[in-house]
Short mmCIF file of all heavy atoms in Angstrom, two decimals:
data_model
loop_
_atom_site.label_atom_id
_atom_site.label_comp_id
_atom_site.label_asym_id
_atom_site.label_seq_id
_atom_site.Cartn_x
_atom_site.Cartn_y
_atom_site.Cartn_z
N GLU A 4 0.54 -1.69 -15.58
CA GLU A 4 2.00 -1.70 -15.75
C GLU A 4 2.64 -0.56 -14.97
O GLU A 4 3.64 -0.75 -14.29
CB GLU A 4 2.36 -1.60 -17.23
CG GLU A 4 3.84 -1.74 -17.50
CD GLU A 4 4.17 -1.71 -18.98
OE1 GLU A 4 3.28 -2.00 -19.81
OE2 GLU A 4 5.31 -1.38 -19.30
N GLY A 7 2.36 -1.30 -11.31
CA GLY A 7 3.36 -2.32 -10.95
C GLY A 7 4.74 -1.72 -10.77
O GLY A 7 5.48 -2.08 -9.85
N ALA A 9 5.38 1.38 -9.92
CA ALA A 9 5.33 2.19 -8.70
C ALA A 9 5.43 1.29 -7.47
O ALA A 9 6.13 1.64 -6.50
CB ALA A 9 4.05 3.01 -8.67
N LEU A 13 8.27 1.34 -4.53
CA LEU A 13 7.93 1.40 -3.11
C LEU A 13 8.50 0.21 -2.35
O LEU A 13 8.95 0.36 -1.21
CB LEU A 13 6.42 1.45 -2.92
CG LEU A 13 5.78 2.80 -3.23
CD1 LEU A 13 4.27 2.67 -3.32
CD2 LEU A 13 6.17 3.84 -2.21
N ASP A 14 8.51 -0.97 -2.98
CA ASP A 14 9.12 -2.15 -2.35
C ASP A 14 10.55 -1.85 -1.92
O ASP A 14 10.97 -2.18 -0.81
CB ASP A 14 9.14 -3.34 -3.31
CG ASP A 14 7.78 -3.95 -3.58
OD1 ASP A 14 6.84 -3.69 -2.82
OD2 ASP A 14 7.68 -4.70 -4.59
N GLU A 16 12.00 1.11 -1.40
CA GLU A 16 12.05 2.11 -0.33
C GLU A 16 11.61 1.51 1.01
O GLU A 16 12.22 1.80 2.04
CB GLU A 16 11.18 3.32 -0.68
CG GLU A 16 11.73 4.15 -1.80
CD GLU A 16 13.13 4.67 -1.52
OE1 GLU A 16 13.37 5.22 -0.42
OE2 GLU A 16 14.01 4.50 -2.39
N GLU A 18 11.85 -1.57 1.91
CA GLU A 18 12.91 -2.47 2.38
C GLU A 18 13.97 -1.70 3.14
O GLU A 18 14.49 -2.18 4.16
CB GLU A 18 13.54 -3.20 1.19
CG GLU A 18 14.49 -4.31 1.60
CD GLU A 18 14.97 -5.11 0.41
OE1 GLU A 18 14.12 -5.54 -0.39
OE2 GLU A 18 16.20 -5.27 0.29
N THR A 20 13.60 1.59 4.51
CA THR A 20 13.00 2.30 5.63
C THR A 20 11.49 2.18 5.57
O THR A 20 10.83 2.97 4.88
CB THR A 20 13.39 3.81 5.59
OG1 THR A 20 14.78 3.94 5.45
CG2 THR A 20 12.92 4.52 6.84
N ALA A 23 5.00 4.29 7.72
CA ALA A 23 3.56 4.10 7.60
C ALA A 23 3.05 4.71 6.29
O ALA A 23 2.20 4.12 5.62
CB ALA A 23 2.85 4.72 8.80
N LEU A 25 4.63 5.12 3.39
CA LEU A 25 5.00 4.29 2.24
C LEU A 25 4.13 3.04 2.18
O LEU A 25 3.67 2.64 1.10
CB LEU A 25 6.47 3.90 2.30
CG LEU A 25 7.49 5.01 2.08
CD1 LEU A 25 8.90 4.51 2.33
CD2 LEU A 25 7.37 5.59 0.68
N LYS A 27 1.11 2.67 3.43
CA LYS A 27 -0.25 3.07 3.06
C LYS A 27 -0.35 3.28 1.56
O LYS A 27 -1.31 2.84 0.92
CB LYS A 27 -0.63 4.34 3.81
CG LYS A 27 -2.02 4.84 3.48
CD LYS A 27 -2.31 6.14 4.21
CE LYS A 27 -3.65 6.72 3.77
NZ LYS A 27 -3.89 8.03 4.37
N GLY A 30 -0.26 0.00 -0.24
CA GLY A 30 -1.55 -0.65 -0.05
C GLY A 30 -2.61 -0.08 -0.97
O GLY A 30 -3.41 -0.81 -1.55
N ARG A 33 -1.92 -1.38 -4.41
CA ARG A 33 -2.29 -2.80 -4.50
C ARG A 33 -3.80 -2.97 -4.64
O ARG A 33 -4.27 -3.83 -5.38
CB ARG A 33 -1.77 -3.57 -3.29
CG ARG A 33 -0.27 -3.81 -3.36
CD ARG A 33 0.23 -4.54 -2.16
NE ARG A 33 1.58 -5.05 -2.39
CZ ARG A 33 2.30 -5.67 -1.49
NH1 ARG A 33 1.82 -5.88 -0.27
NH2 ARG A 33 3.51 -6.09 -1.79
N LEU A 43 -4.34 -5.24 2.27
CA LEU A 43 -4.72 -5.36 3.68
C LEU A 43 -3.47 -5.50 4.55
O LEU A 43 -3.36 -4.85 5.60
CB LEU A 43 -5.65 -6.55 3.88
CG LEU A 43 -6.13 -6.78 5.31
CD1 LEU A 43 -6.87 -5.56 5.85
CD2 LEU A 43 -7.02 -8.02 5.36
N GLN A 47 -2.47 -2.83 7.43
CA GLN A 47 -2.31 -3.27 8.82
C GLN A 47 -0.92 -2.91 9.33
O GLN A 47 -0.77 -2.47 10.48
CB GLN A 47 -2.56 -4.77 8.93
CG GLN A 47 -4.00 -5.14 8.78
CD GLN A 47 -4.23 -6.64 8.73
OE1 GLN A 47 -3.38 -7.41 8.29
NE2 GLN A 47 -5.42 -7.07 9.16
N ILE A 52 2.48 0.96 12.77
CA ILE A 52 3.51 2.00 12.89
C ILE A 52 2.87 3.32 13.34
O ILE A 52 3.39 4.00 14.22
CB ILE A 52 4.26 2.20 11.56
CG1 ILE A 52 5.06 0.94 11.22
CG2 ILE A 52 5.19 3.42 11.64
CD1 ILE A 52 5.63 0.93 9.81
N ASP A 53 1.77 3.70 12.73
CA ASP A 53 1.12 4.98 13.00
C ASP A 53 -0.39 4.85 12.87
O ASP A 53 -0.94 5.07 11.79
CB ASP A 53 1.65 6.05 12.04
CG ASP A 53 1.04 7.41 12.29
OD1 ASP A 53 0.26 7.58 13.25
OD2 ASP A 53 1.35 8.33 11.51
N PRO A 54 -1.07 4.50 13.96
CA PRO A 54 -2.52 4.30 13.89
C PRO A 54 -3.28 5.52 13.39
O PRO A 54 -4.33 5.39 12.77
CB PRO A 54 -2.91 3.98 15.33
CG PRO A 54 -1.66 3.51 15.98
CD PRO A 54 -0.54 4.21 15.29
N GLY A 62 -13.84 2.76 2.96
CA GLY A 62 -13.99 1.90 1.80
C GLY A 62 -14.12 0.47 2.27
O GLY A 62 -14.15 0.18 3.46
N LYS A 65 -13.42 -5.77 -1.66
CA LYS A 65 -14.35 -6.63 -2.39
C LYS A 65 -13.54 -7.66 -3.15
O LYS A 65 -12.57 -7.33 -3.82
CB LYS A 65 -15.18 -5.80 -3.38
CG LYS A 65 -16.09 -4.81 -2.71
CD LYS A 65 -16.89 -4.05 -3.71
CE LYS A 65 -17.80 -3.05 -3.01
NZ LYS A 65 -18.57 -2.27 -3.97
#
Side-chain angles (χ1 to χ4, degrees):
E4 185 177 338
L13 285 168
D14 288 344
E16 290 303 311
E18 189 173 310
T20 309
L25 291 173
K27 180 182 174 186
R33 285 179 166 176
L43 180 59
Q47 288 173 331
I52 294 169
D53 181 4
K65 294 181 180 178

